[in-house]
Amino acid sequence: MKPRAAARRTGRGQAVLGAALLTVPLLLALAGPWLAGEPGPRGVSFTLGDGHWLGTDFTGRDVWRQVLLGGRSVLLTALAATVLAYLAALPIGLAAALTHRTWLEEALLRPLDVVLAVPSLLLLLMTAALFTPGAAGLALIVAAVNVPDTVRIVRAGATEAAGRPAVEAMRLQGESWWRMAIGYVGRSMLRTLAADAGVRLTGALYLIATAAFLGVGVAPDAADWAVMVDHNRTGLFIQPWAVVVPALLIVALTTGTNLLADAALSARRGGPAAPGRTVTS
């Protein structure tokens, strides 16, 4: 009982801290564009005040307004990439776990090993060299980069459930593949997927921020937190707020997401068994 109680306490602490870290960047990303208002006249001001709460950047744009506008693109692109990765990975991973045909499993998994062998940043740069992706294209690229790892997590989580007597009984009763895969196996690994989703979202945020920092998939003058860090880093000691504030918001977003994912994993380890876990003889 003590390890379970400790796991629950750890999970609650991680959940509270993660939620606290996520609150500010999420609020700014979702409500910021409505609070930003119309752009005022440009003027250079590296000190707080003078009508600019955080001063201006080197082009004379209000830093606070750029902060309000810059989170939505990062967050929405990362969420879209994570959802797309799972939409592609779930059927592949479940099919690999449930099939009894070795050749089919190899055909599903071996091509993904090729993608996994290429560094994600290199794949991103290679794709960007062929065409200029927008936000939608960037989300697709990041999703494709995350699919191989996601398939492996799905397959590993589904393999144990796929070997239970209940699944074999469903086969003998003629249940559909979707009912076995989604209705039973998928439900049994919801906590695993919830924990992994935080890792996937963090990886997507990292790649998107890196791409924006390198000018891939994001306009050079876009209101974007990663672009702000890139464009203002040379003047860090003159106007630190244009770099520090968006950088801290990205760190809070990724760290908070990881903490919530760890809390979900702690709940899985120390909490009650997942639905369908108990098998009676």
Side-chain angles (χ1 to χ4, degrees):
M1 293 298 293
K2 288 183 179 180
R4 288 191 174 186
R8 284 194 293 269
R9 285 195 299 270
T10 301
R12 283 195 295 267
Q14 290 173 331
V16 170
L17 181 56
L21 286 173
L22 277 175
T23 298
V24 173
L26 284 179
L27 285 176
L28 289 176
L30 298 176
W34 284 290
L35 301 175
E38 296 297 324
R42 293 196 180 190
V44 178
S45 174
F46 296 147
T47 59
L48 305 185
D50 298 330
H52 306 288
W53 289 11
L54 298 177
T56 63
D57 61 14
F58 73 98
T59 63
R61 295 184 299 182
D62 185 270
V63 171
W64 174 242
R65 186 172 185 275
Q66 294 298 106
V67 168
L68 291 175
L69 294 173
R72 180 173 293 185
S73 60
V74 174
L75 181 62
L76 291 182
T77 306
L79 286 174
T82 304
V83 171
L84 289 172
Y86 274 102
L87 288 177
L90 277 172
I92 299 174
L94 289 173
L98 287 167
T99 186
H100 288 167
R101 298 175 177 87
T102 304
W103 66 266
L104 179 57
E105 184 177 2
E106 292 293 317
L108 290 171
L109 298 180
R110 294 293 78 81
L112 298 177
D113 291 342
V114 177
V115 180
L116 196 62
V118 181
S120 57
L121 185 56
L122 178 59
L123 183 61
L124 182 66
L125 293 175
M126 289 170 57
T127 308
L130 299 177
F131 65 97
T132 304
L138 182 59
L140 285 172
I141 296 171
V142 174
V145 168
N146 278 286
V147 163
D149 279 335
T150 310
V151 167
R152 287 173 174 268
I153 293 295
V154 172
R155 178 179 174 271
T159 298
E160 186 271 335
R164 295 175 190 166
V167 175
E168 189 60 32
M170 294 176 75
R171 290 184 195 273
L172 295 176
Q173 291 173 2
E175 295 286 357
S176 66
W177 185 89
W178 287 104
R179 182 170 175 79
M180 287 188 296
I182 305 299
Y184 182 81
V185 176
R187 285 182 58 196
S188 69
M189 52 183 292
L190 284 178
R191 285 181 174 174
T192 300
L193 295 180
D196 180 67
V199 179
R200 296 299 134 224
L201 182 61
T202 300
L205 284 167
Y206 165 76
L207 273 177
I208 290 165
T210 303
F213 186 80
L214 296 174
V216 176
V218 182
D221 59 345
D224 182 279
W225 289 344
V227 173
M228 290 178 66
V229 174
D230 178 33
H231 280 193
N232 295 286
R233 58 192 170 87
T234 54
L236 175 63
F237 296 104
I238 301 174
Q239 166 51 304
W241 306 111
V243 177
V244 172
V245 172
L248 287 177
L249 289 171
I250 293 174
V251 169
L253 192 60
T254 55
T255 305
T257 301
N258 267 330
L259 286 173
L260 287 180
D262 289 343
L265 189 59
S266 297
R268 179 175 180 267
R269 288 173 177 169
R277 177 72 71 176
T278 303
V279 178
T280 57
S281 56

